[in-house]
Amino acid sequence: MKKMIFILSCAAVAAVVASCKGGPYCQERQAVNESAKQQKQMIDNAIDGGNSEVAQVEMIGNSVVYTHIYDGIIDVKTYTYDGDVCAEVERVYVFPDQKTALRHYRRAVEQAQLYDNIELFNNQVKYDLKEVQHKLETDGLTKEQLKAKFDKQVAEIKKHMK
């Protein structure tokens, strides 16, 4: 199920990139398409290898994207920077089923003091972290430093998986 959803989202991204005619946003669209290909490959490798936990960090334009797959849940955090300051953090969870997504959505609504724009769509929950919340994670870190922090976490995950 999650593989099908991911393939459909990749197809949507591919359609957007195919419509790119060299405008100013073309490079960003191509970067998003490349990211989608990498995420698909990461998921395929996790499924083929039987890994229950996979993590990946990448920089796309002015954003740091941290993807963590565990117990069938895909957790994608996108940290968008304005210069050297994190301006916004969006978090998207993709759950194996809608029931689990609904439980997570209810918990997020109960903790609305931490989140903005909480949305539920089928088995996906999306929200933005409030500024106070994301500053706890990113205050004083450039996007390169944040990526390095996450790369260290990914290395620890891989170390414990062996």
Side-chain angles (χ1 to χ4, degrees):
M1 176 73 175
K2 68 181 174 184
K3 191 171 183 180
M4 181 193 290
I5 291 171
F6 186 75
I7 290 171
L8 290 174
S9 66
C10 286
V13 170
V16 169
V17 171
S19 68
C20 182
K21 303 265 191 254
Y25 300 106
C26 188
Q27 289 179 336
E28 188 171 324
R29 287 181 185 169
Q30 289 172 343
V32 168
N33 187 40
E34 185 60 33
S35 172
K37 286 180 186 176
Q38 289 175 358
Q39 287 181 345
K40 181 186 180 310
Q41 184 64 41
M42 181 178 69
I43 290 171
D44 288 344
N45 290 343
I47 291 168
D48 294 341
N51 292 337
S52 62
E53 187 164 0
V54 177
Q56 172 181 306
V57 183
E58 54 192 334
M59 285 181 35
I60 302 172
N62 62 342
S63 298
V64 176
V65 180
Y66 180 54
T67 305
H68 188 192
I69 302 170
Y70 57 95
D71 296 332
I73 300 168
I74 302 171
D75 176 9
V76 180
K77 293 184 263 186
T78 305
Y79 297 81
T80 304
Y81 274 76
D82 183 12
D84 284 339
V85 177
C86 183
E88 179 182 29
V89 178
E90 177 185 85
R91 193 160 192 179
V92 178
Y93 284 97
V94 181
F95 293 93
D97 56 65
Q98 191 172 14
K99 183 178 178 181
T100 308
L102 183 57
R103 276 195 303 253
H104 184 81
Y105 173 78
R106 286 180 181 156
R107 275 190 302 243
V109 169
E110 289 171 1
Q111 298 177 346
Q113 73 274 13
L114 305 175
Y115 313 119
D116 285 326
N117 305 322
I118 305 167
E119 298 176 9
L120 172 68
F121 181 75
N122 291 330
N123 64 333
Q124 295 182 23
V125 178
K126 176 185 158 218
Y127 51 80
D128 298 329
L129 270 62
K130 290 197 178 195
E131 184 177 355
V132 172
Q133 190 66 20
H134 74 73
K135 279 193 174 191
L136 293 173
E137 289 185 60
T138 64
D139 198 28
L141 297 176
T142 64
K143 62 184 173 187
E144 291 81 9
Q145 291 169 327
L146 183 64
K147 182 181 183 311
K149 174 184 165 183
F150 289 144
D151 283 336
K152 184 177 178 182
Q153 289 177 3
V154 168
E156 287 294 316
I157 289 170
K158 289 181 180 178
K159 180 179 165 184
H160 292 293
M161 284 176 32
K162 292 181 180 180

